[in-house]
Amino acid sequence: MLLIHCPYCKDDRPELEFSNAGEAHIVRPTNMSDISDTEFEAMFFMRDNPKGIALERWRHAHGCGRFFNVARNTVSDKFLKVYKAGEPRPSDAEIEELLK
Amino acid sequence: MTPSSKQPYRAKSHGALNHARTVRFTFDGKPYEGLEGDTLASALLANGVHLMGRSFKYHRPRGVMSAGVEEPSALIGISRDKSNSGARVQPNVRASVQEIYDGMNAVSQNRFPSLNFDLGAVNSLLAPFFAAGFYYKTFMWPRKAWDKVYEPFIRRAAGLGESPTETDPDRYANRFEHCDVLIIGGGAAGLMAAKTAAAKKQRIILCDENPSLGGWLLADSDVTIDGKSGTQWVKDTVAELQANENVRLLTRTTGFGYFQQNMVGLVERVTDHLAQPDMDLPRERMWQVRADKVVIAQGAIERHLVFADNDRPGIVLAGAAQKWLNQFGVTVGNNVGVFTACDTAYAAAFDLYEAGTHIAVIVDQRATVDQALLEQANELGIRVMPNAGVVGVTGKLRINGIKVKTASGSEETIEVDALITSAGWTPSLHLYSQSRGKPIWDEASQRFLPGQSPQACVSIGACNGTNDLATTFAEAAKATGGRAPKLEIENDVSLAGGTIGMASESAETGKAFVDFQNDVTAKDIKLAVREGMHSIEHVKRYTTNGMATDQGKLSNMHGLSIAAKMLDKPVPEVGLTTFRAPYTPTTFGSFVAHARGTLFDPSRKTPIHEWAQENGAEFEPVSLWQRAWYFPRPGEDMHEAVDRECRTVRTSAGVFDASTLGKIEVVGPDAAAFMNIMYTNGWDKLKPGRAKYGIMCREDGFIYDDGVVGKLSDTRFHVTTTTGGAPRVLNHMEDYLQTEFPDMQVWLTSTTEQWATIAVQGPKAREIIQPLVTGADISAEKFPHMSVVECQVCGVPARLFRISFTGELGFEINVPADYGRAVWEAIWERAEPAGACAYGTETMHVLRAEKGYIIVGQDTDGTVTPHDAGLSWAVAKSKPDFVGKRGLQRPDLTASGRRQLVGLKTSDPKKVVQEGAQIVADPEQAIPMKMIGFVTSSYWSGTLERSIAMAVLEDGFARMGETLYIPMEDEVIEVEVEGTVFYDPSGEKING
């Protein structure tokens, strides 16, 4: 069982308290009604599923209830970085660094 | 040796057991005597019994091989029930591990009718069929034989013991624990690591699978540490640790699994060794330990030698023989032969000699043997044959001789009653490997060793490939941050050396077993390689080598070496199979612990649950809720009760517990704007005091949930959801609020369990509740359908809705949950004399279906849009955006041919179709027919005196009046398509 650090509670809590909420940094367009079918497909259906660092959303469902983002290595299953919703996506250089 | 009449192989001079404390037990019904502290194996050996089981495939007679958890052969059934009910029968218990207790009842397995004479042994004659890959070859043809012959045969033959069919009557506990250092293994390495860590005031857990700590030191009679014997050093160290409040010592506790982030699963066997366990104790206790650092001190496992008939009873591992002697005071025979490829077996032989056992011969596979060992043997008059091998044995149920072949090719048969063997020691990499560490091949010592684990753990001692005690102590101290202790160590025997693979080449004549538990021979592995299995993962699956419950603790290295030799490849290129949890078989009970029966899942009950129980309700589970299903009167079956409840609601009134409905309070200045995003409907124009049926979609345009929403004020909505959908709807709302619209001033609160909801439905509904309501005018004029008001009911603050899920005049009264039952009873006191009834979910379903109200998840399945469901009126056209708006415009969702929700009436009104039944246009067409839809809801309607159904149907809206067909197994049912509203289509009643 993983221990996950909640950036809002500032504590390591057991995996049981959290739920995964899919890939992070997919922004719902503000002109949602006007986007093309291709854009809709990219936004709603297409996901990266990388081997290595995955940026994904988690929710501290049985805790503070907040959504936040993590960088998880899908090979080692290690949470390498945890950051609040709304904070910027880690740069490629930072991801490279996390993979080391 | 002075043989006692009862335990002839008990050496009085050896062992730590108290000879005055005898224990009586039975094996296959025959009474035996052992000593307190004996394992079943040591006690049977003390009685001269080697034969303890029959093998899996060939039913070969098998003795015990080892004195530890690696035991592949001596698997026993233990019955812990006094009453012989069978519920406490545990199969496949290793005789080398199970401690005996007074009255223990052990039985051998996989034999009929008896161990000595087993009919299944005929399988040995069928051996050609059972060679590697036999599952794949033998049972291929003819196809017809599979169901009737092959599968039943395999199922009957598969598995060793039989598990009980009764419910496990024992209790299992579980605990979470945290510590600075978890030490797995309480041998010399583990104890020294604990001693060092304890000195640094760290919180320590040390576990060991054995009943007492000390590991190999308890079996080594020669070694001294600072002048003390090994056992004395263990005693002193354990006493020191026991006195330290920061140290928790767990014996009979196996570290079986290494999980993420240094979580290690330990299972503690609490009562299996006790004759009369305290009823308050759990049988086993699961520890989930999270440690800052894990010290793995698992030790090493001695390998057997691979030669012909190396599985005959009487052949045991040398280390096991030494342990039985020095720890339990048991000798494995009176005239023992030795076959070895390393030095440790000499120590075992010399100890046995000292205990009075005649050592017939030491056959050493190696050409050069340590001079000191040769001299010692010579001194004791023991014959040593270097550069020789045992190539076969005589005796079936027990060996009586060994065939020895020298390098020059001469053969000789030597009489023995037991043979001890050693091929060297395999470091136990199980937990290291489970921590996702990669085993590294060490060419010089021909073994895999641990490298750097990705987790915070370190391997020390024999499992790290360390062969001597001094280095082990130094490693252990370093592992916990200390300095190498200065200890004077004497008479230590190195674990170095040994061999892997075939021990002697002429072994082709008989069965040379690599894996005892799955009956895999060296020949099988060679065959697998010849048939194209070139990776160890394939060889393993083809031959089943290492796939038994012992996970190849003895066999893996031999199998690997034989395959590598055949392939002429270095061992690491052939690969090592991955070690997986559990390290040793672990009971389901210890994983399940308390989570069984009523504690398996939480059960949610409404404040009115007990009233329903008292009034004879039958219940159905809806998600975690227990809901009143129907209220049968004496003599009524479900059908009759539901029929009566439906009629009563339609003609008089009914009272229904709707408390399980999900409820979410949406509050804040932007509440209406937020509702506009989350629901397809428009919320701006809705006036406070009014309610609306809302549909929630996902971004893809499919219906996600629905429910009535009351607007209490411009900044406060009382949202209801489906019973099962409440958590995901709240999650869905929170997701959008937190991550897409974080600037909105809205707060969401789950209020499902804060409100008890009582629905009163039917023509007499108003008459029933009116006198109970204060602070609101609920007349038809002032309080029309789809209204909400905050008032008092029975003097209790209430949110009163005028809504209906039945099509009748209806109210839903929300009161604080604590008042739920009191208000319900007050209503019931008025309802019952008025001729009303209490009704359950089944009646609710029928009544709503008569009105064509959908149930999300029953009439929709995640591919139904609001338009498909005929709910286009609930989708706002002018709103710039809502979740699902863009999705609904996708070409596939606007194309023709979509399945749309319609009503169905059977031509024969008495015929009720099955939910899920498929619909076709032409029942005469060839199979496979084109299915154009399916039934989603179907009921008998007592009110309409006919069956009704709803279905999703291709282009359903355009098919009104069409006749379609539902082909069933034994008939074809004719149906006519119509609208979904079967009852009161004009809505007269609901607005009454």
Side-chain angles (χ1 to χ4, degrees), chain A residues 3 33 35 37 57 67 77, chain B residues 260-261 699 735 738 880 886:
Chain A
L3 280 181
S33 305
I35 62 173
D37 283 342
R57 307 189 312 144
F67 284 84
D77 213 6
Chain B
Q260 288 135 326
Q261 286 168 300
E699 209 66 81
D735 194 348
Q738 289 182 33
R886 178 61 188 84

Side-chain angles (χ1 to χ4, degrees), chain B residues 529-548:
Chain B
V529 172
R530 272 202 305 274
E531 294 191 346
M533 309 298 145
H534 289 182
S535 140
I536 196 66
E537 297 285 354
H538 291 149
V539 172
K540 170 180 168 169
R541 280 159 185 80
Y542 201 62
T543 61
T544 71
N545 190 49
M547 284 172 67

Side-chain angles (χ1 to χ4, degrees), chain B residues 668-961:
Chain B
D670 297 321
F674 182 66
M675 290 297 291
N676 274 333
I677 289 291
M678 298 313 301
Y679 283 82
T680 62
N681 322 60
W683 300 91
D684 293 327
K685 288 181 195 149
L686 189 69
K687 292 201 172 62
R690 298 291 291 164
K692 197 169 189 169
Y693 169 72
I695 299 175
M696 174 178 270
C697 282
R698 299 190 312 182
E699 209 66 81
D700 54 13
F702 297 125
I703 295 175
Y704 191 57
D705 202 73
D706 70 348
V708 170
V709 178
K711 191 173 186 178
L712 298 165
S713 75
D714 286 332
T715 58
R716 185 176 291 268
F717 289 84
H718 178 115
V719 174
T720 67
T721 74
T722 56
T723 290
R728 66 182 150 83
V729 169
L730 183 61
N731 184 71
H732 184 71
M733 287 183 170
E734 282 286 355
D735 194 348
Y736 277 89
L737 180 59
Q738 289 182 33
T739 67
E740 300 295 350
F741 301 97
D743 296 331
M744 278 195 178
Q745 295 283 300
V746 179
W747 290 268
L748 306 170
T749 310
S750 161
T751 54
T752 303
E753 298 197 341
Q754 275 58 48
W755 296 109
T757 307
I758 302 160
V760 185
Q761 305 273 314
K764 291 187 180 170
R766 186 182 289 116
E767 171 192 325
I768 290 168
I769 67 161
Q770 186 126 46
L772 304 175
V773 178
T774 47
D777 180 351
I778 60 166
S779 64
E781 304 73 41
K782 289 282 160 62
F783 200 59
H785 182 51
M786 298 309 265
S787 297
V788 58
V789 66
E790 290 182 281
C791 59
Q792 293 85 41
V793 174
C794 305
V796 173
R799 284 181 182 172
L800 177 60
F801 282 76
R802 176 157 173 209
I803 45 175
S804 171
F805 201 42
T806 58
E808 300 297 333
L809 163 67
F811 298 90
E812 283 186 11
I813 302 162
N814 293 273
V815 291
D818 287 348
Y819 295 107
R821 176 152 184 183
V823 172
W824 172 280
E825 283 182 7
I827 292 169
W828 181 244
E829 238 170 72
R830 290 191 48 77
E832 200 181 16
C837 69
Y839 67 96
T841 50
E842 190 61 25
T843 293
M844 178 269 283
H845 273 111
V846 176
L847 296 174
R848 67 91 202 174
E850 287 171 349
K851 282 293 286 180
Y853 296 145
I854 64 162
I855 297 219
V856 171
Q858 177 169 345
D859 302 298
T860 71
D861 63 358
T863 67
V864 175
T865 69
H867 303 303
D868 298 338
L871 299 168
S872 299
W873 56 268
V875 181
K877 289 172 191 64
S878 54
K879 275 200 299 187
D881 188 16
F882 60 83
V883 175
K885 183 177 170 79
R886 178 61 188 84
L888 282 169
Q889 294 158 16
R890 291 185 292 145
D892 282 354
L893 270 61
T894 53
S896 64
R898 288 199 62 77
R899 289 188 169 180
Q900 295 161 332
L901 193 71
V902 297
L904 295 181
K905 272 187 182 166
T906 47
S907 302
D908 172 2
K910 298 269 180 273
K911 188 72 79 193
V912 182
V913 296
Q914 279 183 24
E915 288 176 355
Q918 297 288 330
I919 303 163
V920 301
D922 170 16
E924 304 299 328
Q925 64 185 301
I927 292 172
M929 298 188 188
K930 178 174 164 43
M931 296 176 285
I932 56 174
F934 62 90
V935 177
T936 60
S937 291
S938 177
Y939 305 94
W940 171 256
S941 164
T943 306
L944 303 170
E945 292 185 331
R946 61 155 302 121
S947 73
I948 54 166
M950 285 151 79
V952 287
L953 187 64
E954 258 177 46
D955 286 324
F957 299 155
R959 288 184 190 266
M960 293 301 152

Side-chain angles (χ1 to χ4, degrees), chain B residues 265-326:
Chain B
L266 316 177
V267 73
E268 180 185 4
R269 290 166 295 280
V270 182
T271 62
D272 270 6
H273 62 290
L274 300 174
Q276 277 166 330
D278 182 342
M279 291 310 284
D280 288 338
L281 288 174
R283 180 182 172 215
E284 291 179 349
R285 186 180 287 124
M286 171 79 79
W287 295 76
Q288 283 162 275
V289 179
R290 183 86 66 173
D292 272 357
K293 182 172 202 170
V294 175
V295 175
I296 304 174
Q298 277 196 284
I301 290 172
E302 193 174 27
R303 293 182 303 276
H304 63 289
L305 282 161
V306 183
F307 59 92
D309 293 331
N310 59 346
D311 65 328
R312 292 298 186 207
I315 303 177
V316 303
L317 292 168
Q322 199 176 1
K323 187 171 170 179
W324 284 318
L325 176 65
N326 291 325

Side-chain angles (χ1 to χ4, degrees), chain A residues 11-64:
Chain A
D11 197 10
D12 295 335
R13 308 295 304 165
E15 190 182 340
L16 291 173
E17 294 182 10
F18 297 83
S19 52
N20 182 290
E23 194 171 319
H25 302 293
I26 295 167
V27 181
R28 187 177 189 270
T30 48
N31 62 337
M32 187 68 194
S33 305
D34 305 325
I35 62 173
S36 68
D37 283 342
T38 316
E39 285 167 319
F40 183 87
E41 181 196 37
M43 193 275 300
F44 190 77
F45 293 112
M46 294 316 212
R47 296 295 181 263
D48 283 348
N49 193 22
K51 179 179 181 182
I53 300 282
L55 302 175
E56 58 191 14
R57 307 189 312 144
W58 284 74
R59 185 181 181 215
H60 195 186
H62 301 288
C64 65

